[in-house]
Amino acid sequence: MIYLKTDEEIELMRESNLLLGQTLGELAKWVAPGISTLKLDSIAEEYIRDNGGIPSCLGYSGYPNSICASVNEQVVHGIPSGYVLKDGDIISIDLCVLKNGFHGDSTYTFCVGEVSYDVRRLLKTTKEALYLGIEQAVDGKRVGDISNAIQSYCEKKGYSVVREMCGHGIGKHMHEEPEVPNYGRRGCGPILRSGMVIAIEPMINMGSRNIVIERDGWTTRTRDRKPSAHYELSVAVREGKADILSTFKYVEEVLGDRFI
Ligand code: MF3
Ligand code: CO
């Protein structure tokens, strides 16, 4: 069952996603060599609560924290810990915010200090793929058009697409239908209709697409331990052009010319 949102509901979702974007902007100020991922988690939780939101990853299926902090070869669902970021790391921070009864969902992969050209190229490609996917999120197209745009771009650049995890519909529930895979065929899958809200989230690996889940039951990493990137925005499908509800604007303001 796909829930179409009214214009009013989409405005409420824009608010959840605005707070989420601002939280990522706050985190951007702190991501640097020497900070632990657990400290980033507490900064995010406090910022969200102080601004009237709920960090909705916390407690979701028993998830223990407010953010997912996935470093280097970790793909998604890295559990914040005492790990201290070091120069040359990358960290994908994925979080959900519940406000006005609606969830927002967004992820940004940050560089920690100086990151190699090869890894920065992976990040840039993944973010570009996200926007290529978003271009397809218009009324009358199909989910496979989004999937194919992401897959073909990333594979053309020599990277691989994680298959086991997907983007998704979002609204009153963090995960709603439809699934939005990052691989697939043009013209296939559910038809996109104005009022659908989906989180598009390419998870792209430098090496092979294979992943393993660590013994903690959450942390997902590449099998070959090569780096992985992840960017995510929640968008409303519209006629002609998608309406991007979450935003990297605040991250960009903080990072300036370090913004990839
Ligand atoms: N933002 C993630 C997603 O898109 C949700 C994290 S799962 C959680 O699926 F359990 F950590 F919340
Ligand atoms: Co998501």
Side-chain angles (χ1 to χ4, degrees), residues 56-58 60-61 63 68 77 94-96 105-107 166 168 174-175 199 201 218 232:
S56 46
C57 287
L58 183 62
Y60 181 85
S61 296
Y63 187 74
C68 299
H77 303 163
D94 182 355
L95 68 163
C96 293
D105 191 0
S106 184
T107 307
C166 296
H168 48 90
M174 188 190 298
H175 295 126
E201 48 178 319
W218 285 101
E232 176 176 25

PDB file of all heavy atoms in Angstrom, residues 56-58 60-61 63 68 77 94-96 105-107 166 168 174-175 199 201 218 232, ligand 1:
ATOM      1  N   SER A  56      14.272   9.442  15.414  1.00  0.00           N
ATOM      2  CA  SER A  56      13.433   8.248  15.335  1.00  0.00           C
ATOM      3  C   SER A  56      14.174   6.962  14.982  1.00  0.00           C
ATOM      4  O   SER A  56      13.558   5.899  14.968  1.00  0.00           O
ATOM      5  CB  SER A  56      12.247   8.484  14.402  1.00  0.00           C
ATOM      6  OG  SER A  56      12.624   9.100  13.206  1.00  0.00           O
ATOM      7  N   CYS A  57      15.494   7.026  14.741  1.00  0.00           N
ATOM      8  CA  CYS A  57      16.246   5.755  14.631  1.00  0.00           C
ATOM      9  C   CYS A  57      16.342   5.102  16.010  1.00  0.00           C
ATOM     10  O   CYS A  57      16.367   3.869  16.123  1.00  0.00           O
ATOM     11  CB  CYS A  57      17.656   5.987  14.093  1.00  0.00           C
ATOM     12  SG  CYS A  57      17.661   6.369  12.331  1.00  0.00           S
ATOM     13  N   LEU A  58      16.413   5.955  17.059  1.00  0.00           N
ATOM     14  CA  LEU A  58      16.579   5.454  18.425  1.00  0.00           C
ATOM     15  C   LEU A  58      15.399   4.549  18.793  1.00  0.00           C
ATOM     16  O   LEU A  58      14.249   4.996  18.804  1.00  0.00           O
ATOM     17  CB  LEU A  58      16.664   6.637  19.396  1.00  0.00           C
ATOM     18  CG  LEU A  58      16.900   6.328  20.865  1.00  0.00           C
ATOM     19  CD1 LEU A  58      18.235   5.638  21.085  1.00  0.00           C
ATOM     20  CD2 LEU A  58      16.841   7.622  21.700  1.00  0.00           C
ATOM     21  N   TYR A  60      14.273   2.102  17.003  1.00  0.00           N
ATOM     22  CA  TYR A  60      13.650   1.485  15.826  1.00  0.00           C
ATOM     23  C   TYR A  60      14.181   0.059  15.660  1.00  0.00           C
ATOM     24  O   TYR A  60      15.390  -0.132  15.490  1.00  0.00           O
ATOM     25  CB  TYR A  60      13.945   2.327  14.579  1.00  0.00           C
ATOM     26  CG  TYR A  60      13.319   1.796  13.316  1.00  0.00           C
ATOM     27  CD1 TYR A  60      12.006   2.105  12.978  1.00  0.00           C
ATOM     28  CD2 TYR A  60      14.036   0.967  12.466  1.00  0.00           C
ATOM     29  CE1 TYR A  60      11.431   1.616  11.822  1.00  0.00           C
ATOM     30  CE2 TYR A  60      13.467   0.466  11.307  1.00  0.00           C
ATOM     31  CZ  TYR A  60      12.162   0.799  10.998  1.00  0.00           C
ATOM     32  OH  TYR A  60      11.591   0.311   9.856  1.00  0.00           O
ATOM     33  N   SER A  61      13.295  -0.914  15.767  1.00  0.00           N
ATOM     34  CA  SER A  61      13.692  -2.337  15.750  1.00  0.00           C
ATOM     35  C   SER A  61      14.811  -2.615  16.741  1.00  0.00           C
ATOM     36  O   SER A  61      15.668  -3.466  16.488  1.00  0.00           O
ATOM     37  CB  SER A  61      14.176  -2.766  14.359  1.00  0.00           C
ATOM     38  OG  SER A  61      13.151  -2.673  13.430  1.00  0.00           O
ATOM     39  N   TYR A  63      17.228  -0.503  17.529  1.00  0.00           N
ATOM     40  CA  TYR A  63      18.482   0.213  17.243  1.00  0.00           C
ATOM     41  C   TYR A  63      18.827   1.110  18.440  1.00  0.00           C
ATOM     42  O   TYR A  63      17.968   1.835  18.942  1.00  0.00           O
ATOM     43  CB  TYR A  63      18.362   1.046  15.951  1.00  0.00           C
ATOM     44  CG  TYR A  63      19.682   1.656  15.563  1.00  0.00           C
ATOM     45  CD1 TYR A  63      20.689   0.874  15.016  1.00  0.00           C
ATOM     46  CD2 TYR A  63      19.954   3.004  15.810  1.00  0.00           C
ATOM     47  CE1 TYR A  63      21.926   1.418  14.704  1.00  0.00           C
ATOM     48  CE2 TYR A  63      21.183   3.557  15.497  1.00  0.00           C
ATOM     49  CZ  TYR A  63      22.167   2.753  14.942  1.00  0.00           C
ATOM     50  OH  TYR A  63      23.398   3.295  14.655  1.00  0.00           O
ATOM     51  N   CYS A  68      23.121   6.685  12.708  1.00  0.00           N
ATOM     52  CA  CYS A  68      23.980   5.611  12.229  1.00  0.00           C
ATOM     53  C   CYS A  68      25.265   6.299  11.776  1.00  0.00           C
ATOM     54  O   CYS A  68      25.213   7.290  11.029  1.00  0.00           O
ATOM     55  CB  CYS A  68      23.354   4.861  11.060  1.00  0.00           C
ATOM     56  SG  CYS A  68      21.789   4.056  11.484  1.00  0.00           S
ATOM     57  N   HIS A  77      24.312   1.611   9.028  1.00  0.00           N
ATOM     58  CA  HIS A  77      23.928   1.112  10.351  1.00  0.00           C
ATOM     59  C   HIS A  77      25.114   0.912  11.295  1.00  0.00           C
ATOM     60  O   HIS A  77      25.056   0.053  12.183  1.00  0.00           O
ATOM     61  CB  HIS A  77      23.114  -0.197  10.240  1.00  0.00           C
ATOM     62  CG  HIS A  77      21.884  -0.058   9.404  1.00  0.00           C
ATOM     63  ND1 HIS A  77      21.206  -1.136   8.891  1.00  0.00           N
ATOM     64  CD2 HIS A  77      21.206   1.039   8.986  1.00  0.00           C
ATOM     65  CE1 HIS A  77      20.173  -0.713   8.181  1.00  0.00           C
ATOM     66  NE2 HIS A  77      20.155   0.608   8.224  1.00  0.00           N
ATOM     67  N   ASP A  94      23.679   8.906   9.017  1.00  0.00           N
ATOM     68  CA  ASP A  94      22.314   8.649   8.548  1.00  0.00           C
ATOM     69  C   ASP A  94      21.395   8.839   9.741  1.00  0.00           C
ATOM     70  O   ASP A  94      21.636   8.257  10.809  1.00  0.00           O
ATOM     71  CB  ASP A  94      22.251   7.201   8.031  1.00  0.00           C
ATOM     72  CG  ASP A  94      20.887   6.815   7.471  1.00  0.00           C
ATOM     73  OD1 ASP A  94      19.948   7.615   7.556  1.00  0.00           O
ATOM     74  OD2 ASP A  94      20.784   5.689   6.946  1.00  0.00           O
ATOM     75  N   LEU A  95      20.380   9.680   9.592  1.00  0.00           N
ATOM     76  CA  LEU A  95      19.464   9.831  10.710  1.00  0.00           C
ATOM     77  C   LEU A  95      18.057  10.165  10.247  1.00  0.00           C
ATOM     78  O   LEU A  95      17.859  10.626   9.120  1.00  0.00           O
ATOM     79  CB  LEU A  95      19.966  10.858  11.726  1.00  0.00           C
ATOM     80  CG  LEU A  95      20.048  12.327  11.375  1.00  0.00           C
ATOM     81  CD1 LEU A  95      20.165  13.149  12.637  1.00  0.00           C
ATOM     82  CD2 LEU A  95      21.260  12.595  10.524  1.00  0.00           C
ATOM     83  N   CYS A  96      17.132   9.868  11.139  1.00  0.00           N
ATOM     84  CA  CYS A  96      15.727  10.154  10.882  1.00  0.00           C
ATOM     85  C   CYS A  96      15.219  11.069  11.979  1.00  0.00           C
ATOM     86  O   CYS A  96      15.616  10.934  13.144  1.00  0.00           O
ATOM     87  CB  CYS A  96      14.914   8.866  10.887  1.00  0.00           C
ATOM     88  SG  CYS A  96      15.326   7.772   9.518  1.00  0.00           S
ATOM     89  N   ASP A 105      14.234  11.613   6.512  1.00  0.00           N
ATOM     90  CA  ASP A 105      15.341  10.651   6.452  1.00  0.00           C
ATOM     91  C   ASP A 105      16.386  11.208   5.497  1.00  0.00           C
ATOM     92  O   ASP A 105      16.062  11.543   4.350  1.00  0.00           O
ATOM     93  CB  ASP A 105      14.791   9.311   5.948  1.00  0.00           C
ATOM     94  CG  ASP A 105      15.776   8.159   6.082  1.00  0.00           C
ATOM     95  OD1 ASP A 105      16.904   8.370   6.564  1.00  0.00           O
ATOM     96  OD2 ASP A 105      15.385   7.027   5.701  1.00  0.00           O
ATOM     97  N   SER A 106      17.626  11.331   5.983  1.00  0.00           N
ATOM     98  CA  SER A 106      18.682  11.867   5.130  1.00  0.00           C
ATOM     99  C   SER A 106      20.037  11.390   5.632  1.00  0.00           C
ATOM    100  O   SER A 106      20.199  11.076   6.820  1.00  0.00           O
ATOM    101  CB  SER A 106      18.624  13.401   5.133  1.00  0.00           C
ATOM    102  OG  SER A 106      19.574  13.968   4.260  1.00  0.00           O
ATOM    103  N   THR A 107      20.977  11.311   4.712  1.00  0.00           N
ATOM    104  CA  THR A 107      22.337  10.842   5.023  1.00  0.00           C
ATOM    105  C   THR A 107      23.345  11.697   4.281  1.00  0.00           C
ATOM    106  O   THR A 107      23.101  12.062   3.122  1.00  0.00           O
ATOM    107  CB  THR A 107      22.522   9.387   4.532  1.00  0.00           C
ATOM    108  OG1 THR A 107      21.476   8.575   5.054  1.00  0.00           O
ATOM    109  CG2 THR A 107      23.870   8.819   4.939  1.00  0.00           C
ATOM    110  N   CYS A 166      17.808  -0.732   0.263  1.00  0.00           N
ATOM    111  CA  CYS A 166      17.144   0.096  -0.747  1.00  0.00           C
ATOM    112  C   CYS A 166      16.660   1.395  -0.149  1.00  0.00           C
ATOM    113  O   CYS A 166      16.503   1.502   1.071  1.00  0.00           O
ATOM    114  CB  CYS A 166      15.886  -0.615  -1.244  1.00  0.00           C
ATOM    115  SG  CYS A 166      16.205  -2.155  -2.075  1.00  0.00           S
ATOM    116  N   HIS A 168      13.200   3.932  -0.015  1.00  0.00           N
ATOM    117  CA  HIS A 168      11.875   3.502   0.446  1.00  0.00           C
ATOM    118  C   HIS A 168      10.909   4.676   0.495  1.00  0.00           C
ATOM    119  O   HIS A 168      11.331   5.829   0.617  1.00  0.00           O
ATOM    120  CB  HIS A 168      12.022   2.913   1.861  1.00  0.00           C
ATOM    121  CG  HIS A 168      12.828   3.797   2.780  1.00  0.00           C
ATOM    122  ND1 HIS A 168      12.254   4.764   3.557  1.00  0.00           N
ATOM    123  CD2 HIS A 168      14.172   3.907   2.981  1.00  0.00           C
ATOM    124  CE1 HIS A 168      13.203   5.409   4.220  1.00  0.00           C
ATOM    125  NE2 HIS A 168      14.387   4.924   3.882  1.00  0.00           N
ATOM    126  N   MET A 174       8.656   5.250   9.061  1.00  0.00           N
ATOM    127  CA  MET A 174       9.987   5.479   8.487  1.00  0.00           C
ATOM    128  C   MET A 174      10.145   4.730   7.165  1.00  0.00           C
ATOM    129  O   MET A 174      10.750   5.231   6.230  1.00  0.00           O
ATOM    130  CB  MET A 174      11.055   5.024   9.489  1.00  0.00           C
ATOM    131  CG  MET A 174      12.462   5.391   9.095  1.00  0.00           C
ATOM    132  SD  MET A 174      13.700   4.578  10.145  1.00  0.00           S
ATOM    133  CE  MET A 174      13.311   5.233  11.756  1.00  0.00           C
ATOM    134  N   HIS A 175       9.619   3.526   7.134  1.00  0.00           N
ATOM    135  CA  HIS A 175       9.723   2.725   5.918  1.00  0.00           C
ATOM    136  C   HIS A 175       8.326   2.382   5.408  1.00  0.00           C
ATOM    137  O   HIS A 175       7.581   1.678   6.062  1.00  0.00           O
ATOM    138  CB  HIS A 175      10.530   1.448   6.168  1.00  0.00           C
ATOM    139  CG  HIS A 175      11.962   1.731   6.513  1.00  0.00           C
ATOM    140  ND1 HIS A 175      12.575   1.245   7.630  1.00  0.00           N
ATOM    141  CD2 HIS A 175      12.890   2.485   5.889  1.00  0.00           C
ATOM    142  CE1 HIS A 175      13.835   1.676   7.671  1.00  0.00           C
ATOM    143  NE2 HIS A 175      14.042   2.443   6.635  1.00  0.00           N
ATOM    144  N   ALA A 199      12.432   8.171   0.040  1.00  0.00           N
ATOM    145  CA  ALA A 199      13.824   8.435   0.409  1.00  0.00           C
ATOM    146  C   ALA A 199      14.686   7.702  -0.609  1.00  0.00           C
ATOM    147  O   ALA A 199      14.575   6.484  -0.759  1.00  0.00           O
ATOM    148  CB  ALA A 199      14.103   7.942   1.817  1.00  0.00           C
ATOM    149  N   GLU A 201      18.446   6.684  -1.713  1.00  0.00           N
ATOM    150  CA  GLU A 201      19.685   6.576  -0.926  1.00  0.00           C
ATOM    151  C   GLU A 201      20.696   5.592  -1.517  1.00  0.00           C
ATOM    152  O   GLU A 201      20.835   4.474  -1.041  1.00  0.00           O
ATOM    153  CB  GLU A 201      19.370   6.203   0.526  1.00  0.00           C
ATOM    154  CG  GLU A 201      18.403   5.059   0.747  1.00  0.00           C
ATOM    155  CD  GLU A 201      18.216   4.779   2.245  1.00  0.00           C
ATOM    156  OE1 GLU A 201      19.210   4.820   2.991  1.00  0.00           O
ATOM    157  OE2 GLU A 201      17.081   4.511   2.649  1.00  0.00           O
ATOM    158  N   TRP A 218      23.896  -5.157  13.399  1.00  0.00           N
ATOM    159  CA  TRP A 218      23.563  -3.931  12.665  1.00  0.00           C
ATOM    160  C   TRP A 218      24.634  -3.535  11.656  1.00  0.00           C
ATOM    161  O   TRP A 218      24.358  -3.384  10.472  1.00  0.00           O
ATOM    162  CB  TRP A 218      23.366  -2.756  13.649  1.00  0.00           C
ATOM    163  CG  TRP A 218      22.088  -2.818  14.391  1.00  0.00           C
ATOM    164  CD1 TRP A 218      21.906  -3.238  15.681  1.00  0.00           C
ATOM    165  CD2 TRP A 218      20.796  -2.453  13.908  1.00  0.00           C
ATOM    166  NE1 TRP A 218      20.588  -3.146  16.028  1.00  0.00           N
ATOM    167  CE2 TRP A 218      19.881  -2.665  14.950  1.00  0.00           C
ATOM    168  CE3 TRP A 218      20.302  -1.955  12.686  1.00  0.00           C
ATOM    169  CZ2 TRP A 218      18.514  -2.404  14.819  1.00  0.00           C
ATOM    170  CZ3 TRP A 218      18.948  -1.685  12.553  1.00  0.00           C
ATOM    171  CH2 TRP A 218      18.070  -1.923  13.610  1.00  0.00           C
ATOM    172  N   GLU A 232      21.599  10.439   1.057  1.00  0.00           N
ATOM    173  CA  GLU A 232      20.148  10.196   1.057  1.00  0.00           C
ATOM    174  C   GLU A 232      19.393  11.503   1.223  1.00  0.00           C
ATOM    175  O   GLU A 232      19.756  12.328   2.060  1.00  0.00           O
ATOM    176  CB  GLU A 232      19.796   9.250   2.224  1.00  0.00           C
ATOM    177  CG  GLU A 232      18.306   8.999   2.397  1.00  0.00           C
ATOM    178  CD  GLU A 232      17.997   7.988   3.500  1.00  0.00           C
ATOM    179  OE1 GLU A 232      18.826   7.830   4.415  1.00  0.00           O
ATOM    180  OE2 GLU A 232      16.931   7.363   3.427  1.00  0.00           O
TER     181      GLU A 232
HETATM  182  N1  MF3 B   1      17.802   5.895   7.695  1.00  0.00           N
HETATM  183  C1  MF3 B   1      17.814   4.463   7.654  1.00  0.00           C
HETATM  184  C2  MF3 B   1      17.081   3.922   6.476  1.00  0.00           C
HETATM  185  O1  MF3 B   1      16.882   4.584   5.518  1.00  0.00           O
HETATM  186  C3  MF3 B   1      17.213   3.939   8.885  1.00  0.00           C
HETATM  187  C4  MF3 B   1      18.191   3.490   9.824  1.00  0.00           C
HETATM  188  S1  MF3 B   1      17.685   2.006  10.453  1.00  0.00           S
HETATM  189  C5  MF3 B   1      17.720   2.253  12.106  1.00  0.00           C
HETATM  190  O2  MF3 B   1      16.688   2.809   6.443  1.00  0.00           O
HETATM  191  F1  MF3 B   1      17.320   1.188  12.678  1.00  0.00           F
HETATM  192  F2  MF3 B   1      18.914   2.588  12.422  1.00  0.00           F
HETATM  193  F3  MF3 B   1      16.912   3.209  12.417  1.00  0.00           F
END
